[in-house]
Amino acid sequence: MIHLKNYADTEDIFQTVFLKYVLSSISFESEEHEKAWFIRVTINACKDLLKSFFRNRTTSLDEIMEQSTQLPPDYREVLEAVFSLPQKYRDVVYLYYYEDYTAPQISCILDKNVNTIYTLLTRSKQILRKKLEGDGYE
C-alpha cells in the first residue's frame, strides 16, 4: 500500500508474489531469508507495476472528476454528462475519447464485437447530444 497507494493494485501484487512463491523451487536457508525474499520480490513487483506502460498511459475516472473543478464550466458540463451515461456507454466513451483507443482496440478490451462498439459510440453521442442540446452545444 505504501508504494502503490491503491488497494486493488496492492491485491494484484500480493497475488503475483504469492504465485511466484508457489511456483518457485527456491529453498530458503532460514525464515529470515524467506522473509527477505518476499520483501524484495514485492518491492520489485511494485516498481515494475509503477513503471509499466499501461500504468503511465491511463488516467483513472476519479482523477478526472477531481480535476473537473479546475475546468471551465462548459467542459465540466460535458464531463458530468459523460459520467451520467449508463455504464456500457460511459466505458466506451471513456476509452475512445479520453484514452484514445480505437474501436477495434476497445472491442478487444471489452470483449465485444467491433460493430457493437461503433453502435455504442453512436448511441452515446445521441444521448449526450440530447442531454447537452439545451445548454447550447451541438
Side-chain angles (χ1 to χ4, degrees):
M1 269 309 274
I2 292 170
H3 279 78
L4 301 176
K5 298 171 181 57
N6 180 326
Y7 187 73
D9 288 342
T10 303
E11 285 183 336
D12 289 344
I13 293 297
F14 174 81
Q15 290 177 356
T16 302
V17 171
F18 186 72
L19 185 61
K20 282 182 184 180
Y21 175 72
V22 170
L23 296 176
S24 73
S25 59
I26 297 173
S27 59
F28 298 102
E29 299 168 8
S30 63
E31 285 186 26
E32 289 81 27
H33 182 231
E34 186 174 21
K35 180 179 177 182
W37 182 89
F38 270 106
I39 291 170
R40 178 52 35 206
V41 171
T42 302
I43 289 170
N44 289 341
C46 290
K47 286 180 181 180
D48 289 346
L49 180 67
L50 291 171
K51 290 187 301 189
S52 73
F53 175 77
F54 175 77
R55 178 101 174 181
N56 294 331
R57 180 110 164 88
T58 59
T59 305
S60 73
L61 294 175
D62 295 332
E63 287 178 30
I64 291 173
M65 283 308 288
E66 287 173 10
Q67 295 170 357
S68 72
T69 57
Q70 301 166 359
L71 294 173
D74 294 345
Y75 292 115
R76 196 173 27 243
E77 289 177 43
V78 172
L79 191 59
E80 288 172 1
V82 169
F83 282 109
S84 71
L85 289 171
Q87 186 71 39
K88 64 181 180 179
Y89 298 122
R90 184 174 49 227
D91 291 344
V92 173
V93 168
Y94 175 76
L95 291 170
Y96 188 79
Y97 289 105
Y98 290 94
E99 296 294 334
D100 293 327
Y101 285 107
T102 63
Q105 290 171 326
I106 296 170
S107 74
C108 290
I109 292 169
L110 299 178
D111 195 29
K112 294 185 180 193
N113 188 310
V114 177
N115 290 332
T116 303
I117 301 301
Y118 284 121
T119 301
L120 291 171
L121 279 169
T122 302
R123 289 179 183 166
S124 62
K125 288 178 196 176
Q126 291 169 348
I127 294 169
L128 287 171
R129 189 174 293 120
K130 287 179 185 176
K131 286 184 179 195
L132 297 171
E133 205 168 58
D135 297 332
Y137 296 98
E138 292 186 26

